[in-house]
Amino acid sequence: MDIAERSKGLALRFNLRGAKKSILDRRVSEREQKMSILSASPEDEDRSNATRLKNVSDEYIAQMYSIIEINRAVIPELAARKEGETLKAKDEILQALTPEEREISRGYLDQFLGNLGSILDSGGPRSSSEVTVKMPNRGAGAAISHLIMQTAYRAKAGPPDYLLRNSLLVSAISTFEVLFGQLARAVSSVNSSALSDSEHTFTIDDLAKFESLDDAREYLIEKRVSSLLRDSVDVWEKWLKRQTGGVSMQALPVSWSLVRESFARRNLLVHTGGVVNHLYIAVVAKLGLPESATVRPGERIDVDAEYLDRVLQELLALGHTLICAVGVKLYVKNRDIYLRAAINAARDFSFWHADRASRVVCSYLLTNKLNRRDEMMTKVRQWVAIKEVEGLGSIRSELEAWDTSGLDPSIAHCKNILLDDLEEGARVVEVLISQGDLSRFEVAFDPLYKKLARPVFRENQGEGESKELAKEDGV
Protein backbone atom coordinates (compact mmCIF):
# COMPACT_ATOMS: atom_id res chain seq x y z
CA MET A 1 0.00 0.00 0.00
CA ASP A 2 1.50 3.35 -1.04
CA ILE A 3 1.66 6.52 1.11
CA ALA A 4 -1.36 8.11 -0.53
CA GLU A 5 -3.49 5.03 0.12
CA ARG A 6 -2.41 4.73 3.74
CA SER A 7 -3.13 8.41 4.41
CA LYS A 8 -6.81 8.11 3.50
CA GLY A 9 -9.10 8.54 6.46
CA LEU A 10 -6.35 9.83 8.72
CA ALA A 11 -7.44 12.72 10.94
CA LEU A 12 -4.09 14.47 10.54
CA ARG A 13 -4.54 18.27 10.45
CA PHE A 14 -2.02 20.94 9.71
CA ASN A 15 -1.92 24.68 10.14
CA LEU A 16 0.14 26.64 7.63
CA ARG A 17 3.25 26.66 9.81
CA GLY A 18 3.08 22.91 10.21
CA ALA A 19 2.65 22.46 6.49
CA LYS A 20 6.03 24.05 5.89
CA LYS A 21 7.59 20.96 7.49
CA SER A 22 5.85 18.66 5.06
CA ILE A 23 6.96 17.41 1.66
CA LEU A 24 5.67 20.68 0.20
CA ASP A 25 8.62 22.52 1.77
CA ARG A 26 10.50 22.53 -1.53
CA ARG A 27 7.79 24.71 -3.06
CA VAL A 28 8.42 27.53 -0.62
CA SER A 29 10.90 30.11 -1.90
CA GLU A 30 13.78 31.32 0.24
CA ARG A 31 12.26 34.83 0.23
CA GLU A 32 8.94 33.60 1.67
CA GLN A 33 10.68 31.68 4.46
CA LYS A 34 12.59 34.77 5.62
CA MET A 35 9.84 37.38 5.22
CA SER A 36 8.91 39.45 8.27
CA ILE A 37 7.33 42.82 9.04
CA LEU A 38 10.58 44.76 8.61
CA SER A 39 12.41 42.66 6.06
CA ALA A 40 13.06 43.99 2.58
CA SER A 41 12.09 42.22 -0.65
CA PRO A 42 14.05 42.96 -3.84
CA GLU A 43 13.87 46.72 -4.28
CA ASP A 44 11.78 46.86 -7.45
CA GLU A 45 9.18 44.38 -6.18
CA ASP A 46 9.08 46.10 -2.79
CA ARG A 47 8.40 49.46 -4.42
CA SER A 48 5.70 47.93 -6.60
CA ASN A 49 3.93 46.51 -3.54
CA ALA A 50 4.29 49.85 -1.75
CA THR A 51 2.69 51.65 -4.70
CA ARG A 52 -0.11 49.09 -4.83
CA LEU A 53 -0.97 49.72 -1.19
CA LYS A 54 -0.82 53.49 -1.74
CA ASN A 55 -3.32 53.07 -4.58
CA VAL A 56 -5.76 51.55 -2.10
CA SER A 57 -5.72 54.90 -0.31
CA ASP A 58 -6.23 56.80 -3.58
CA GLU A 59 -9.37 54.80 -4.36
CA TYR A 60 -10.64 55.26 -0.83
CA ILE A 61 -10.13 59.04 -1.01
CA ALA A 62 -12.08 59.21 -4.27
CA GLN A 63 -15.02 57.28 -2.82
CA MET A 64 -15.12 59.26 0.42
CA TYR A 65 -14.92 62.56 -1.46
CA SER A 66 -17.96 61.53 -3.51
CA ILE A 67 -19.92 60.82 -0.32
CA ILE A 68 -18.89 64.19 1.14
CA GLU A 69 -20.10 65.95 -2.01
CA ILE A 70 -23.44 64.14 -1.89
CA ASN A 71 -23.94 65.30 1.69
CA ARG A 72 -22.91 68.88 0.98
CA ALA A 73 -24.44 69.51 -2.44
CA VAL A 74 -26.85 66.83 -3.64
CA ILE A 75 -28.95 66.35 -0.49
CA PRO A 76 -29.60 70.10 0.06
CA GLU A 77 -30.63 70.37 -3.58
CA LEU A 78 -33.07 67.48 -3.19
CA ALA A 79 -34.49 69.03 -0.02
CA ALA A 80 -35.00 72.35 -1.82
CA ARG A 81 -37.00 70.58 -4.50
CA LYS A 82 -39.34 68.92 -1.99
CA GLU A 83 -41.95 71.70 -1.88
CA GLY A 84 -42.02 72.06 -5.65
CA GLU A 85 -42.53 68.32 -6.13
CA THR A 86 -45.44 68.32 -3.66
CA LEU A 87 -47.14 71.16 -5.52
CA LYS A 88 -46.50 69.36 -8.81
CA ALA A 89 -48.22 66.24 -7.47
CA LYS A 90 -51.20 68.37 -6.43
CA ASP A 91 -51.46 69.91 -9.91
CA GLU A 92 -51.27 66.50 -11.60
CA ILE A 93 -54.10 65.22 -9.43
CA LEU A 94 -56.28 68.25 -10.11
CA GLN A 95 -55.77 67.89 -13.86
CA ALA A 96 -57.32 64.41 -13.71
CA LEU A 97 -60.62 65.80 -12.36
CA THR A 98 -63.56 67.47 -14.03
CA PRO A 99 -63.73 71.29 -13.72
CA GLU A 100 -66.43 70.94 -11.07
CA GLU A 101 -64.50 68.35 -9.05
CA ARG A 102 -61.35 70.41 -9.43
CA GLU A 103 -62.99 73.41 -7.90
CA ILE A 104 -64.35 71.36 -5.00
CA SER A 105 -61.03 69.61 -4.39
CA ARG A 106 -58.73 72.60 -4.47
CA GLY A 107 -59.52 73.83 -0.98
CA TYR A 108 -59.38 70.38 0.56
CA LEU A 109 -56.03 69.64 -1.07
CA ASP A 110 -54.58 72.90 0.26
CA GLN A 111 -55.83 71.96 3.73
CA PHE A 112 -54.31 68.50 3.50
CA LEU A 113 -50.97 69.67 2.13
CA GLY A 114 -50.72 72.32 4.82
CA ASN A 115 -51.22 69.74 7.57
CA LEU A 116 -48.89 67.28 5.90
CA GLY A 117 -46.22 69.92 5.41
CA SER A 118 -46.14 70.68 9.13
CA ILE A 119 -45.38 67.01 9.79
CA LEU A 120 -42.74 66.64 7.07
CA ASP A 121 -40.96 69.81 8.14
CA SER A 122 -40.94 68.91 11.81
CA GLY A 123 -37.82 66.78 11.43
CA GLY A 124 -39.48 64.04 13.43
CA PRO A 125 -39.37 60.82 11.43
CA ARG A 126 -42.17 58.33 11.92
CA SER A 127 -44.31 60.94 13.68
CA SER A 128 -47.56 59.75 15.17
CA SER A 129 -49.36 62.98 14.18
CA GLU A 130 -52.60 62.56 12.25
CA VAL A 131 -54.02 64.48 9.32
CA THR A 132 -57.80 64.80 9.24
CA VAL A 133 -59.59 66.06 6.12
CA LYS A 134 -63.34 66.04 5.54
CA MET A 135 -63.97 64.28 2.23
CA PRO A 136 -66.10 66.05 -0.43
CA ASN A 137 -67.89 64.18 -3.29
CA ARG A 138 -66.69 60.89 -4.70
CA GLY A 139 -64.41 62.23 -7.45
CA ALA A 140 -62.67 64.76 -5.25
CA GLY A 141 -62.55 62.25 -2.38
CA ALA A 142 -60.77 59.72 -4.60
CA ALA A 143 -58.23 62.36 -5.64
CA ILE A 144 -57.49 63.36 -2.06
CA SER A 145 -57.25 59.69 -1.01
CA HIS A 146 -54.72 59.12 -3.78
CA LEU A 147 -52.59 62.02 -2.57
CA ILE A 148 -52.77 60.74 0.99
CA MET A 149 -51.63 57.26 -0.09
CA GLN A 150 -48.88 58.80 -2.21
CA THR A 151 -47.43 60.84 0.65
CA ALA A 152 -48.32 58.94 3.82
CA TYR A 153 -45.15 56.85 3.73
CA ARG A 154 -43.06 60.00 3.48
CA ALA A 155 -44.66 61.32 6.64
CA LYS A 156 -44.10 58.02 8.40
CA ALA A 157 -40.47 57.66 7.33
CA GLY A 158 -39.48 61.26 7.96
CA PRO A 159 -37.70 63.83 5.78
CA PRO A 160 -35.88 62.27 2.78
CA ASP A 161 -32.63 64.04 3.69
CA TYR A 162 -32.54 62.14 7.00
CA LEU A 163 -32.96 58.84 5.19
CA LEU A 164 -30.24 59.71 2.69
CA ARG A 165 -27.78 60.79 5.35
CA ASN A 166 -28.43 57.64 7.36
CA SER A 167 -27.58 55.67 4.22
CA LEU A 168 -24.47 57.73 3.56
CA LEU A 169 -23.13 57.00 7.04
CA VAL A 170 -23.64 53.28 6.49
CA SER A 171 -21.97 53.53 3.07
CA ALA A 172 -19.00 55.52 4.41
CA ILE A 173 -18.23 53.02 7.16
CA SER A 174 -18.61 50.14 4.72
CA THR A 175 -16.07 51.90 2.50
CA PHE A 176 -13.68 52.09 5.44
CA GLU A 177 -14.22 48.40 6.13
CA VAL A 178 -13.18 47.62 2.55
CA LEU A 179 -10.03 49.69 3.03
CA PHE A 180 -9.20 47.94 6.31
CA GLY A 181 -9.72 44.55 4.67
CA GLN A 182 -7.26 45.43 1.90
CA LEU A 183 -4.82 46.72 4.49
CA ALA A 184 -5.13 43.50 6.50
CA ARG A 185 -4.40 41.46 3.37
CA ALA A 186 -1.27 43.51 2.72
CA VAL A 187 -0.06 43.03 6.31
CA SER A 188 -0.76 39.29 6.20
CA SER A 189 1.07 38.92 2.88
CA VAL A 190 4.22 40.55 4.22
CA ASN A 191 4.12 39.43 7.84
CA SER A 192 3.83 35.66 7.98
CA SER A 193 3.27 35.74 11.74
CA ALA A 194 -0.06 37.50 11.12
CA LEU A 195 -1.45 34.12 10.08
CA SER A 196 -0.16 32.25 13.11
CA ASP A 197 -3.23 33.03 15.20
CA SER A 198 -5.57 31.72 12.54
CA GLU A 199 -7.87 28.96 13.75
CA HIS A 200 -8.21 27.51 10.28
CA THR A 201 -6.40 24.22 9.66
CA PHE A 202 -5.73 22.05 6.63
CA THR A 203 -5.93 18.30 6.15
CA ILE A 204 -3.58 16.58 3.68
CA ASP A 205 -6.54 16.25 1.32
CA ASP A 206 -7.19 20.00 1.64
CA LEU A 207 -3.59 20.80 0.73
CA ALA A 208 -3.74 18.49 -2.26
CA LYS A 209 -6.42 20.73 -3.80
CA PHE A 210 -3.99 23.65 -4.05
CA GLU A 211 -1.45 23.86 -6.85
CA SER A 212 1.14 25.36 -4.53
CA LEU A 213 1.67 26.45 -0.98
CA ASP A 214 1.30 30.03 -2.22
CA ASP A 215 -2.31 29.26 -3.15
CA ALA A 216 -2.94 27.74 0.27
CA ARG A 217 -1.44 30.81 1.87
CA GLU A 218 -3.68 33.15 -0.16
CA TYR A 219 -6.71 31.09 0.82
CA LEU A 220 -5.74 31.32 4.49
CA ILE A 221 -5.27 35.09 4.20
CA GLU A 222 -8.76 35.48 2.76
CA LYS A 223 -10.23 33.33 5.53
CA ARG A 224 -8.38 35.29 8.21
CA VAL A 225 -9.36 38.70 6.83
CA SER A 226 -13.01 37.69 6.41
CA SER A 227 -13.10 36.49 10.01
CA LEU A 228 -11.41 39.69 11.20
CA LEU A 229 -13.90 41.95 9.42
CA ARG A 230 -16.79 40.23 11.19
CA ASP A 231 -15.34 41.40 14.51
CA SER A 232 -15.72 44.87 16.01
CA VAL A 233 -13.49 47.82 15.23
CA ASP A 234 -12.00 47.38 18.71
CA VAL A 235 -10.78 43.92 17.70
CA TRP A 236 -9.34 45.40 14.50
CA GLU A 237 -7.39 47.89 16.60
CA LYS A 238 -5.85 45.16 18.75
CA TRP A 239 -5.00 43.01 15.72
CA LEU A 240 -3.41 45.97 13.94
CA LYS A 241 -1.15 46.91 16.85
CA ARG A 242 -0.07 43.31 17.33
CA GLN A 243 0.69 42.56 13.67
CA THR A 244 2.33 45.85 12.65
CA GLY A 245 4.56 46.40 15.64
CA GLY A 246 2.51 49.17 17.20
CA VAL A 247 0.55 51.02 14.50
CA SER A 248 -2.67 52.16 16.16
CA MET A 249 -5.78 53.79 14.72
CA GLN A 250 -6.56 55.26 18.11
CA ALA A 251 -3.10 56.85 18.31
CA LEU A 252 -3.45 58.62 14.95
CA PRO A 253 -4.42 62.31 15.30
CA VAL A 254 -8.11 61.72 14.59
CA SER A 255 -11.09 62.16 16.87
CA TRP A 256 -11.20 58.50 17.83
CA SER A 257 -14.22 58.96 20.09
CA LEU A 258 -16.23 60.35 17.15
CA VAL A 259 -15.06 57.57 14.83
CA ARG A 260 -15.89 54.90 17.40
CA GLU A 261 -19.32 56.42 18.07
CA SER A 262 -20.05 56.54 14.34
CA PHE A 263 -19.48 52.77 14.10
CA ALA A 264 -21.89 52.25 16.99
CA ARG A 265 -24.46 54.55 15.35
CA ARG A 266 -24.08 52.69 12.07
CA ASN A 267 -24.89 49.47 13.91
CA LEU A 268 -28.04 51.06 15.28
CA LEU A 269 -29.15 52.21 11.84
CA VAL A 270 -28.54 48.78 10.32
CA HIS A 271 -29.89 46.57 13.10
CA THR A 272 -32.54 48.64 14.96
CA GLY A 273 -33.49 51.35 12.47
CA GLY A 274 -31.76 53.94 14.66
CA VAL A 275 -33.50 53.01 17.92
CA VAL A 276 -31.05 53.40 20.81
CA ASN A 277 -30.26 50.25 22.78
CA HIS A 278 -28.07 49.51 25.79
CA LEU A 279 -25.13 48.45 23.60
CA TYR A 280 -24.95 51.91 22.06
CA ILE A 281 -25.25 53.60 25.46
CA ALA A 282 -22.42 51.44 26.81
CA VAL A 283 -20.16 52.50 23.91
CA VAL A 284 -20.77 56.25 24.30
CA ALA A 285 -20.46 56.01 28.08
CA LYS A 286 -17.08 54.26 27.74
CA LEU A 287 -15.92 56.96 25.35
CA GLY A 288 -17.00 59.69 27.74
CA LEU A 289 -19.26 61.32 25.16
CA PRO A 290 -21.98 63.74 26.34
CA GLU A 291 -24.62 61.66 24.54
CA SER A 292 -24.32 59.06 27.31
CA ALA A 293 -25.93 61.50 29.74
CA THR A 294 -28.89 62.40 27.54
CA VAL A 295 -29.79 59.56 25.20
CA ARG A 296 -32.19 56.89 26.46
CA PRO A 297 -33.05 53.36 25.28
CA GLY A 298 -35.95 53.40 22.85
CA GLU A 299 -35.18 56.87 21.50
CA ARG A 300 -34.41 57.23 17.81
CA ILE A 301 -31.31 58.97 16.55
CA ASP A 302 -30.54 59.96 13.01
CA VAL A 303 -27.74 61.68 11.12
CA ASP A 304 -27.83 65.41 10.46
CA ALA A 305 -25.69 67.28 7.92
CA GLU A 306 -23.13 68.70 10.36
CA TYR A 307 -22.58 65.40 12.19
CA LEU A 308 -22.18 63.49 8.94
CA ASP A 309 -19.71 65.99 7.50
CA ARG A 310 -17.53 65.75 10.61
CA VAL A 311 -17.62 61.94 10.60
CA LEU A 312 -16.84 61.76 6.89
CA GLN A 313 -13.82 64.01 7.30
CA GLU A 314 -12.53 61.97 10.23
CA LEU A 315 -12.98 58.72 8.28
CA LEU A 316 -11.32 60.26 5.23
CA ALA A 317 -8.29 61.28 7.28
CA LEU A 318 -8.20 58.05 9.29
CA GLY A 319 -8.19 55.84 6.20
CA HIS A 320 -5.44 57.79 4.47
CA THR A 321 -3.14 58.20 7.47
CA LEU A 322 -3.66 54.55 8.41
CA ILE A 323 -2.48 53.40 4.99
CA CYS A 324 0.52 55.74 5.25
CA ALA A 325 1.44 54.63 8.77
CA VAL A 326 1.28 50.93 7.91
CA GLY A 327 2.95 51.47 4.52
CA VAL A 328 5.93 53.20 6.12
CA LYS A 329 6.21 50.25 8.51
CA LEU A 330 5.89 47.54 5.86
CA TYR A 331 8.06 49.16 3.21
CA VAL A 332 10.72 51.11 5.11
CA LYS A 333 12.85 51.85 2.05
CA ASN A 334 9.87 53.32 0.21
CA ARG A 335 8.52 55.62 2.90
CA ASP A 336 8.80 58.52 0.45
CA ILE A 337 5.80 57.13 -1.46
CA TYR A 338 3.55 57.51 1.58
CA LEU A 339 4.92 60.79 2.89
CA ARG A 340 4.54 62.43 -0.52
CA ALA A 341 1.04 61.02 -0.80
CA ALA A 342 0.17 62.51 2.61
CA ILE A 343 1.58 65.91 1.64
CA ASN A 344 -0.55 65.90 -1.50
CA ALA A 345 -3.60 64.72 0.41
CA ALA A 346 -3.31 67.49 3.00
CA ARG A 347 -3.29 70.02 0.18
CA ASP A 348 -6.15 68.36 -1.72
CA PHE A 349 -8.34 68.12 1.39
CA SER A 350 -7.74 71.82 2.02
CA PHE A 351 -8.79 72.65 -1.55
CA TRP A 352 -11.95 70.57 -1.01
CA HIS A 353 -12.70 72.50 2.20
CA ALA A 354 -12.28 69.30 4.17
CA ASP A 355 -10.29 71.26 6.74
CA ARG A 356 -10.67 68.80 9.61
CA ALA A 357 -9.28 66.03 7.43
CA SER A 358 -6.43 68.26 6.22
CA ARG A 359 -5.53 69.13 9.81
CA VAL A 360 -5.34 65.45 10.78
CA VAL A 361 -3.07 64.57 7.86
CA CYS A 362 -0.78 67.54 8.64
CA SER A 363 -0.57 66.47 12.28
CA TYR A 364 0.40 62.96 11.16
CA LEU A 365 3.03 64.29 8.75
CA LEU A 366 4.65 66.40 11.45
CA THR A 367 5.35 63.25 13.47
CA ASN A 368 7.59 62.06 10.61
CA LYS A 369 11.01 63.24 9.51
CA LEU A 370 10.48 65.66 6.61
CA ASN A 371 12.85 67.93 4.76
CA ARG A 372 12.83 71.52 5.97
CA ARG A 373 10.64 72.93 3.22
CA ASP A 374 8.02 70.15 3.43
CA GLU A 375 7.95 70.54 7.20
CA MET A 376 7.33 74.30 7.04
CA MET A 377 4.69 74.09 4.29
CA THR A 378 2.93 71.29 6.18
CA LYS A 379 2.83 73.54 9.22
CA VAL A 380 1.38 76.33 7.06
CA ARG A 381 -1.27 73.95 5.73
CA GLN A 382 -2.12 72.93 9.27
CA TRP A 383 -2.53 76.60 10.26
CA VAL A 384 -4.83 77.13 7.28
CA ALA A 385 -7.04 74.26 8.44
CA ILE A 386 -7.15 75.48 12.04
CA LYS A 387 -7.94 79.03 10.91
CA GLU A 388 -10.83 77.78 8.75
CA VAL A 389 -12.33 75.70 11.56
CA GLU A 390 -11.57 77.77 14.68
CA GLY A 391 -10.72 81.25 13.41
CA LEU A 392 -7.57 83.34 13.33
CA GLY A 393 -7.66 83.98 17.07
CA SER A 394 -6.79 80.37 17.81
CA ILE A 395 -3.42 80.61 16.02
CA ARG A 396 -2.58 84.34 16.12
CA SER A 397 -0.04 84.15 18.96
CA GLU A 398 1.69 81.16 17.37
CA LEU A 399 1.88 82.93 14.01
CA GLU A 400 3.19 86.16 15.50
CA ALA A 401 5.95 84.18 17.24
CA TRP A 402 6.96 82.48 13.98
CA ASP A 403 10.42 83.74 13.00
CA THR A 404 10.52 83.93 9.19
CA SER A 405 13.63 86.09 8.90
CA GLY A 406 15.82 83.30 7.49
CA LEU A 407 13.19 81.63 5.33
CA ASP A 408 12.75 81.78 1.58
CA PRO A 409 10.08 84.37 0.57
CA SER A 410 7.95 81.59 -0.96
CA ILE A 411 7.48 80.31 2.60
CA ALA A 412 7.88 83.48 4.64
CA HIS A 413 5.04 85.33 2.86
CA CYS A 414 2.56 82.80 4.29
CA LYS A 415 2.84 84.53 7.67
CA ASN A 416 1.44 87.80 6.27
CA ILE A 417 -1.33 85.97 4.43
CA LEU A 418 -2.36 83.94 7.47
CA LEU A 419 -2.37 87.07 9.66
CA ASP A 420 -4.58 88.84 7.06
CA ASP A 421 -1.88 91.43 6.35
CA LEU A 422 -3.24 91.60 2.81
CA GLU A 423 -1.40 94.69 1.59
CA GLU A 424 2.05 93.28 2.29
CA GLY A 425 0.87 89.79 1.33
CA ALA A 426 -0.35 90.98 -2.08
CA ARG A 427 2.95 92.74 -2.76
CA VAL A 428 5.01 89.62 -2.09
CA VAL A 429 2.57 87.39 -3.97
CA GLU A 430 2.92 89.55 -7.09
CA VAL A 431 6.70 89.24 -6.89
CA LEU A 432 6.49 85.46 -6.44
CA ILE A 433 4.13 85.17 -9.41
CA SER A 434 6.42 87.26 -11.62
CA GLN A 435 9.37 85.07 -10.64
CA GLY A 436 7.50 81.85 -11.36
CA ASP A 437 7.57 80.76 -7.71
CA LEU A 438 3.78 80.93 -7.41
CA SER A 439 0.97 80.53 -9.93
CA ARG A 440 -2.25 82.47 -10.31
CA PHE A 441 -4.11 79.16 -10.14
CA GLU A 442 -2.80 78.61 -6.62
CA VAL A 443 -3.79 82.12 -5.59
CA ALA A 444 -7.28 81.60 -7.01
CA PHE A 445 -8.03 78.19 -5.49
CA ASP A 446 -5.85 77.67 -2.43
CA PRO A 447 -7.76 78.60 0.76
CA LEU A 448 -4.53 80.12 2.05
CA TYR A 449 -5.10 83.04 -0.34
CA LYS A 450 -8.89 83.18 0.04
CA LYS A 451 -9.02 86.85 1.08
CA LEU A 452 -6.35 87.84 -1.41
CA ALA A 453 -7.42 86.01 -4.55
CA ARG A 454 -9.91 88.43 -6.10
CA PRO A 455 -7.92 91.67 -5.81
CA VAL A 456 -4.81 90.03 -7.29
CA PHE A 457 -6.79 88.64 -10.21
CA ARG A 458 -8.66 91.85 -10.99
CA GLU A 459 -5.45 93.83 -11.28
CA ASN A 460 -3.78 91.39 -13.64
CA GLN A 461 -6.42 89.86 -15.91
CA GLY A 462 -8.17 91.08 -18.99
CA GLU A 463 -11.36 93.09 -18.88
CA GLY A 464 -13.56 90.15 -19.85
CA GLU A 465 -12.15 87.90 -17.13
CA SER A 466 -12.44 90.69 -14.57
CA LYS A 467 -16.11 91.13 -15.41
CA GLU A 468 -16.68 87.41 -14.93
CA LEU A 469 -14.99 87.49 -11.52
CA ALA A 470 -17.00 90.57 -10.56
CA LYS A 471 -20.16 88.76 -11.58
CA GLU A 472 -19.20 85.78 -9.37
CA ASP A 473 -18.62 88.12 -6.44
CA GLY A 474 -21.98 89.82 -6.99
CA VAL A 475 -20.36 93.13 -7.90
Side-chain angles (χ1 to χ4, degrees):
M1 183 179 295
D2 60 21
I3 294 177
E5 189 67 23
R6 282 182 292 166
S7 66
K8 288 182 180 179
L10 292 178
L12 296 175
R13 302 182 67 82
F14 297 79
N15 60 25
L16 191 56
R17 179 176 292 178
K20 288 183 179 179
K21 299 178 180 179
S22 74
I23 194 172
L24 296 177
D25 269 356
R26 63 180 180 272
R27 298 183 182 179
V28 183
S29 69
E30 181 179 350
R31 179 181 63 81
E32 289 173 318
Q33 291 176 9
K34 295 181 179 179
M35 191 174 290
S36 68
I37 192 72
L38 295 178
S39 66
S41 303
E43 187 172 344
D44 54 345
E45 182 179 352
D46 205 41
R47 191 166 187 84
S48 175
N49 290 333
T51 301
R52 190 176 299 114
L53 180 59
K54 196 272 291 185
N55 290 341
V56 170
S57 176
D58 293 343
E59 183 177 347
Y60 175 77
I61 288 174
Q63 293 173 341
M64 292 298 295
Y65 177 64
S66 295
I67 296 175
I68 289 174
E69 283 298 287
I70 292 172
N71 180 47
R72 290 180 174 179
V74 177
I75 292 180
E77 181 180 340
L78 291 174
R81 289 165 46 188
K82 180 180 65 176
E83 182 177 352
E85 291 175 350
T86 302
L87 294 175
K88 180 182 178 182
K90 169 191 169 184
D91 291 339
E92 289 177 348
I93 289 173
L94 289 174
Q95 289 300 319
L97 302 178
T98 66
E100 181 181 0
E101 290 173 335
R102 191 179 304 136
E103 186 65 29
I104 296 173
S105 300
R106 197 179 302 275
Y108 289 101
L109 286 173
D110 287 339
Q111 178 189 352
F112 168 72
L113 291 175
N115 291 334
L116 181 62
S118 65
I119 296 175
L120 294 178
D121 294 336
S122 67
R126 294 155 293 272
S127 172
S128 60
S129 301
E130 296 181 354
V131 175
T132 303
V133 178
K134 181 180 179 182
M135 291 293 182
N137 65 28
R138 180 180 178 84
I144 293 174
S145 297
H146 175 73
L147 183 60
I148 292 174
M149 292 299 296
Q150 190 178 39
T151 56
Y153 287 116
R154 286 179 55 198
K156 192 70 175 174
D161 50 324
Y162 275 78
L163 299 177
L164 287 171
R165 289 192 175 100
N166 290 351
S167 298
L168 287 181
L169 178 64
V170 174
S171 178
I173 292 181
S174 296
T175 301
F176 181 82
E177 288 178 340
V178 172
L179 174 132
F180 192 87
Q182 292 173 303
L183 183 68
R185 290 183 185 91
V187 171
S188 299
S189 296
V190 174
N191 182 15
S192 56
S193 66
L195 300 179
S196 299
D197 60 352
S198 173
E199 296 179 357
H200 187 79
T201 56
F202 293 100
T203 65
I204 290 180
D205 287 341
D206 289 335
L207 289 174
K209 296 176 184 178
F210 297 104
E211 294 185 2
S212 68
L213 193 57
D214 282 344
D215 292 339
R217 178 185 175 84
E218 287 300 315
Y219 175 80
L220 185 56
I221 289 174
E222 292 299 326
K223 292 284 290 185
R224 183 67 188 95
V225 171
S226 295
S227 175
L228 179 65
L229 292 179
R230 286 193 292 272
D231 281 320
S232 71
V233 68
D234 296 320
V235 173
W236 301 357
E237 167 74 354
K238 293 176 182 178
W239 180 90
L240 182 71
K241 290 176 69 174
R242 185 170 64 251
Q243 303 303 337
T244 61
V247 176
S248 165
M249 292 185 286
Q250 189 171 351
L252 291 170
V254 297
S255 175
W256 180 250
S257 60
L258 179 60
V259 169
R260 187 63 188 84
E261 186 278 336
S262 70
F263 272 77
R265 187 173 301 207
R266 186 281 304 265
N267 291 341
L268 284 184
L269 295 173
V270 172
H271 301 297
T272 71
V275 177
V276 173
N277 56 25
H278 290 285
L279 293 176
Y280 175 82
I281 292 176
V283 169
V284 295
K286 184 178 179 180
L287 294 170
L289 296 173
E291 288 88 341
S292 62
T294 58
V295 72
R296 295 289 182 268
E299 294 179 355
R300 192 181 301 276
I301 58 173
D302 288 281
V303 179
D304 61 35
E306 181 181 359
Y307 168 86
L308 181 58
D309 190 74
R310 288 189 61 195
V311 169
L312 292 177
Q313 289 198 50
E314 293 292 338
L315 289 173
L316 172 64
L318 174 60
H320 180 70
T321 54
L322 179 59
I323 289 289
C324 291
V326 173
V328 166
K329 196 81 171 181
L330 292 180
Y331 308 104
V332 179
K333 294 183 178 180
N334 295 287
R335 64 191 298 272
D336 60 298
I337 291 177
Y338 300 101
L339 296 182
R340 183 53 52 188
I343 290 170
N344 293 336
R347 181 175 180 270
D348 290 341
F349 297 170
S350 180
F351 275 47
W352 300 342
H353 305 291
D355 300 295
R356 296 178 187 277
S358 179
R359 181 178 181 177
V360 168
V361 177
C362 289
S363 297
Y364 164 74
L365 277 166
L366 293 172
T367 65
N368 290 270
K369 186 177 181 180
L370 307 173
N371 64 52
R372 182 61 174 163
R373 181 176 184 82
D374 284 342
E375 181 182 4
M376 293 309 305
M377 292 309 297
T378 297
K379 189 62 181 176
V380 167
R381 187 62 59 189
Q382 184 183 51
W383 278 326
V384 170
I386 296 172
K387 182 179 178 181
E388 289 293 311
V389 175
E390 301 178 11
L392 176 57
S394 61
I395 57 172
R396 181 181 293 278
S397 59
E398 190 177 0
L399 284 171
E400 291 174 342
W402 181 23
D403 181 9
T404 60
S405 57
L407 296 177
D408 187 276
S410 62
I411 299 176
H413 82 285
C414 297
K415 179 176 180 177
N416 298 106
I417 302 299
L418 286 166
L419 285 170
D420 292 341
D421 182 359
L422 302 184
E423 183 177 350
E424 176 61 18
R427 185 191 67 78
V428 179
V429 163
E430 284 292 0
V431 173
L432 292 172
I433 291 175
S434 66
Q435 295 175 345
D437 294 324
L438 189 66
S439 71
R440 296 195 181 280
F441 170 82
E442 291 170 289
V443 177
F445 288 94
D446 192 331
L448 171 64
Y449 304 101
K450 182 171 64 174
K451 294 186 178 181
L452 189 67
R454 293 314 187 208
V456 169
F457 261 70
R458 286 204 185 100
E459 292 172 7
N460 292 280
Q461 292 195 10
E463 184 179 348
E465 291 172 301
S466 294
K467 287 181 178 178
E468 278 301 313
L469 290 168
K471 198 178 299 181
E472 291 176 17
D473 285 347
V475 177

